[in-house]
Amino acid sequence: MNKISIWIGQGLLYAAFAAVIGIFSQWPSYQHLAPERALVKLSFSHQGELLGECVEQSLEELAKLPPNMRAPKRCPRERSPVSVEIDIDGVLAHQQVAQPSGLSSDGASAVYQRLEVAAGAHRIGVRLKDNARSEGFDYTLEQDVTLAPAEILVIDFDSAHKRITLQ
Amino acid sequence: MSALSQAWSRAERRLDRWFPAGTNPLVNLGAIACLLFAILLLSGIYLFVVFDTSVSGAWNSIDTLSRQQPVPGGWLRSLHRYAADAFALVTLLHLVREWVLGRYTRFRRVTWLTGVPLLLFMYVSGIGGFWLNWDRLGQYSAIASAELFDALPLLTGSMARNFLGVDSVSDRFFSLLIFVHLGVPLLLLFGLWFHLQRITRPAVWPTRALSVGMLAMLGLLAALWPVMSQAPADLATVPSAVPLDWILLHLHPLAELLSPAIVWALIGGVLLLLLALPLRREQALPVAVVDADNCNGCRRCVADCPYAAITLEAHPNGKPGRQIAVVAAERCASCGICAGSCPSATPFRSARELVTGIDMPQQPIGALREQLELALAGAGQGRVVVFGCDHGADLRQIDDQRVAQFSLLCIGLLPPSFVEYALRNGASGVVVVGCAQGGCAFRLGERWTAERLAGTREPQLRASVPRERLRMIFAGPGQEWRVAVAVEELRGVRAT
Ligand code: HEM
Ligand code: SF4
Ligand code: SF4
């Protein structure tokens, strides 16, 4: 092999490697969401209501307990699961029951769900139940929204003010 | 050798034509990966100095760098990105090469196993880098990564919830993202140290020509095709079309196409496969054997063993200060390079039975001397002697009565004095064949032999040996013709 063909050969190989890097580090463009589509993100982290009421302990019951555990009330820590339903334009789009986290089921229930919709006007209905002992849903919200292409609508639950929010 | 590994070797030898004298990139993938990692660390330090670590300032600091300081700022930024892409490709190729050539069992097991986590660290560092720009691509990758993580039943709560904020991510969470891109590369550096523990003189820098070539290639690419930020991240909208870095970010579209759970199953499956591969039970190879009476503790085998398998300990003869070589069986590659380095391995010794300080049970130096004497006896006078190895050109293909060929475990097993011994015993010339320059099937064997023959490494071929009757060449499988050419050349020298 003479020097010139070595130079040409090496040049070709380096150029090919550079081309692979240069091209595939940005091409082809990835269509993550189709044009004219928008996204609804349902996401909350909410602690359901306590499953049971606190019970007053009778004197006999207290007497059976070791002295350091003699609290006048016994409160179960377990939380209700949180159920949620989403309607989009009157059609059920998502339904989920989120179990409480934590080993003794005393933590928050977390939900994260993406729902793709066409851009434009929609009627969003949200129903949420966080108390296993109540009848029906504890919180509901119906709202008209207009979504631009690629816009994200976040459905959350504001635990402090106890209400469903759309942003 | 399987058909696949043979095909790979042939392709490598073919590439030698363009990259001569040990500069073949396919033979130096580990070293190239180290060079790229060094480029990443150095350019990364510069980028980190100008980087604004707050969510609100991050995008601006990098975008401004590219726009207002194309040199060196923007150029270094582009270099950093392209070096990361190259690092991923080269590391993957390094793995594929070792796999195809079957280099993952026995004495290479630990090196292979410590390589696997490096692959993981490389991916995580690479993906994490895109987040820091905090442009549309970074936003896409960060959210997709969080959604991927949420599919693991490890964490309570949802990582992706951190990206809901219509205003912005919290600075605290952003610091976590930055930490990934600083901490994991450090883990990689640390892991690399483990990876190279069982390798003597690891080639962590490519040859000068290769380093210059790689740097020039990346530097030109970064100058001609600078990397620019996308629009700043905006959590109120989806980055619907992104110019994706497919080399580093392919997991995101894959998770969308299949599902996060399937992607995790794939990642887990690949990692398990890679970790299980070297656990296959293999028949043990013979281990180098030290003979106490013939070892004077000179340390040459320690210096030449490519897998750090030999250490020196106190000599059993009890003489103060005397040492003896001790071989760690699980590290020994059965290459015999140590036998070629031992000063006791000279055929000129008068002992009827030649016993050397360190020797390979399956191919003892004493037996080699006997076979050589036999081949040159009587009608064998005037033959050309060819010393080759089991991994290079196939010497059985030489069908010539006037040639005596010896296929060794590795060409590094050949004590250089055998060349002189062959010539003194009537050989008309000697051809020494290495399997590939810079690409010994073990490591370093061909290099040590070339240096010993050139007289720059102990044990040296004596200066008085007529060099015109010796050829050192390189010929891999399929390049047997090179051996034939060298034999003919020697005959020509003899005739004139
Ligand atoms: C960050 C990525 C990596 C770097 C920088 C790297 C670097 C290196 C270097 C410098 C060597 C020594 C080469 C020599 O002097 O002969 C080496 C050897 C080796 N590497 Fe890696 N490596 C990486 C990842 C991997 C991976 C992912 C694997 C496979 C799972 C792997 C498997 C091996 C093996 C089996 C050897 C031994 C080769 C031999 O004994 O001949 N490496 N690596
Ligand atoms: S045979 Fe090779 S690996 Fe084993 S001790 Fe000798 S030089 Fe080292
Ligand atoms: S090269 Fe030979 S003499 Fe020297 S330490 Fe090794 S075995 Fe002993």
Side-chain angles (χ1 to χ4, degrees), chain B residues 172-194:
Chain B
R172 221 176 46 145
F173 186 68
F174 197 64
S175 313
L176 181 72
L177 301 189
I178 297 172
F179 179 74
V180 169
H181 196 57
L182 298 184
V184 181
L186 285 181
L187 273 179
L188 181 53
L189 190 62
F190 190 59
L192 189 57
W193 180 78
F194 277 103

Side-chain angles (χ1 to χ4, degrees), chain B residues 304 335-342 365 388-389 408-416 432-435 440 442-450 452 459 472:
Chain B
D304 284 7
C335 63
I337 292 173
C338 48
S341 76
C342 186
I365 297 292
C389 76
L408 310 177
L409 298 169
C410 170
I411 200 59
L413 180 145
L414 182 74
V432 176
V433 191
C435 58
C440 172
F442 297 98
R443 301 178 62 254
L444 303 169
E446 96 302 353
R447 185 170 146 201
W448 294 162
T449 297
R452 290 168 191 162
M472 166 119 200

Side-chain angles (χ1 to χ4, degrees), chain B residues 53 55 131-132 134 142-143 145-146 158-164 168-180 235:
Chain B
T53 55
V55 194
W131 307 339
L132 303 199
W134 207 229
I143 296 178
S145 305
S158 148
M159 183 96 86
R161 253 186 84 72
N162 289 293
F163 298 102
L164 290 181
S168 183
V169 213
S170 76
D171 268 320
R172 221 176 46 145
F173 186 68
F174 197 64
S175 313
L176 181 72
L177 301 189
I178 297 172
F179 179 74
V180 169
L235 293 175

Side-chain angles (χ1 to χ4, degrees), chain A residues 24-25 28 30 32 43 112 150, chain B residues 81 147 161 236 238 240 242 246:
Chain A
F24 292 109
S25 73
Y30 176 63
H32 169 50
S43 170
Y112 180 86
Chain B
R81 163 78 164 278
E147 289 173 354
R161 253 186 84 72
V238 183
S240 28
V242 279
W246 293 89

Side-chain angles (χ1 to χ4, degrees), chain B residues 3-346:
Chain B
L4 192 60
S5 80
Q6 223 161 37
W8 182 285
S9 297
R10 276 167 201 260
E12 241 173 42
R13 297 293 73 77
R14 208 154 287 159
L15 201 63
D16 280 343
R17 279 181 235 170
W18 287 350
F19 294 88
T23 61
N24 190 334
L26 284 182
V27 179
N28 290 284
L29 292 166
I32 298 177
C34 289
L35 172 76
L36 291 168
F37 190 45
I39 296 177
L40 284 167
L41 290 180
L42 290 177
S43 53
I45 289 172
Y46 186 90
L47 292 178
F48 192 66
V49 168
V50 299
F51 182 62
D52 181 335
T53 55
S54 71
V55 194
S56 49
W59 180 84
N60 202 36
S61 65
I62 297 296
D63 186 64
T64 311
L65 185 72
S66 277
R67 286 180 203 287
Q68 297 183 359
Q69 198 210 85
V71 182
W75 179 76
L76 278 173
R77 178 209 179 169
S78 308
L79 189 69
H80 192 73
R81 163 78 164 278
Y82 290 136
D85 291 318
F87 185 44
L89 293 175
V90 167
T91 306
L92 216 58
L93 215 55
H94 171 57
L95 180 152
V96 169
R97 176 180 190 263
E98 304 303 324
W99 186 337
V100 168
L101 295 181
R103 298 186 178 171
Y104 47 79
T105 57
R106 298 192 178 108
F107 56 95
R108 289 190 178 98
R109 186 173 291 144
V110 172
T111 311
W112 174 275
L113 288 176
T114 49
V116 176
L118 300 186
L119 194 67
L120 195 69
F121 296 155
M122 180 204 77
Y123 260 103
V124 176
S125 320
I127 295 172
F130 289 91
W131 307 339
L132 303 199
N133 292 331
W134 207 229
D135 62 352
R136 298 293 269 171
L137 182 59
Q139 175 191 353
Y140 166 69
S141 172
I143 296 178
S145 305
E147 289 173 354
L148 194 59
F149 254 91
D150 285 344
L152 282 180
L154 294 177
L155 310 150
T156 54
S158 148
M159 183 96 86
R161 253 186 84 72
N162 289 293
F163 298 102
L164 290 181
V166 173
D167 305 320
S168 183
V169 213
S170 76
D171 268 320
R172 221 176 46 145
F173 186 68
F174 197 64
S175 313
L176 181 72
L177 301 189
I178 297 172
F179 179 74
V180 169
H181 196 57
L182 298 184
V184 181
L186 285 181
L187 273 179
L188 181 53
L189 190 62
F190 190 59
L192 189 57
W193 180 78
F194 277 103
H195 186 51
L196 301 177
Q197 275 308 295
R198 294 207 162 188
I199 292 194
T200 315
R201 302 180 186 230
V204 290
W205 298 118
T207 57
R208 169 106 59 94
L210 256 183
S211 305
V212 170
M214 287 301 293
L215 263 171
M217 186 269 285
L218 290 172
L220 266 177
L221 184 62
L224 298 178
W225 206 345
V227 173
M228 294 305 232
S229 294
Q230 304 292 305
D234 169 14
L235 293 175
T237 62
V238 183
S240 28
V242 279
L244 200 71
D245 187 320
W246 293 89
I247 299 168
L248 287 167
L249 298 178
H250 46 257
L251 284 181
H252 300 333
L254 201 65
E256 260 175 74
L257 185 71
L258 306 169
S259 81
I262 297 181
V263 165
W264 280 118
L266 278 176
I267 295 174
V270 168
L271 286 180
L272 271 182
L273 180 71
L274 290 177
L275 291 175
L277 208 59
L279 301 183
R280 208 172 64 192
R281 272 246 161 265
E282 299 271 343
Q283 205 189 344
L285 296 172
V287 175
V289 177
V290 177
D291 182 74
D293 291 338
N294 286 285
C295 172
N296 62 13
C298 72
R299 185 174 276 279
R300 282 185 199 163
C301 57
V302 179
D304 284 7
C305 171
Y307 289 104
I310 312 178
T311 47
L312 289 181
E313 288 178 14
H315 202 286
N317 69 11
K319 288 192 189 144
R322 275 290 285 273
Q323 290 188 298
I324 186 173
V326 176
V327 180
E330 79 286 358
R331 291 179 171 225
C332 178
S334 210
C335 63
I337 292 173
C338 48
S341 76
C342 186
S344 70
T346 161

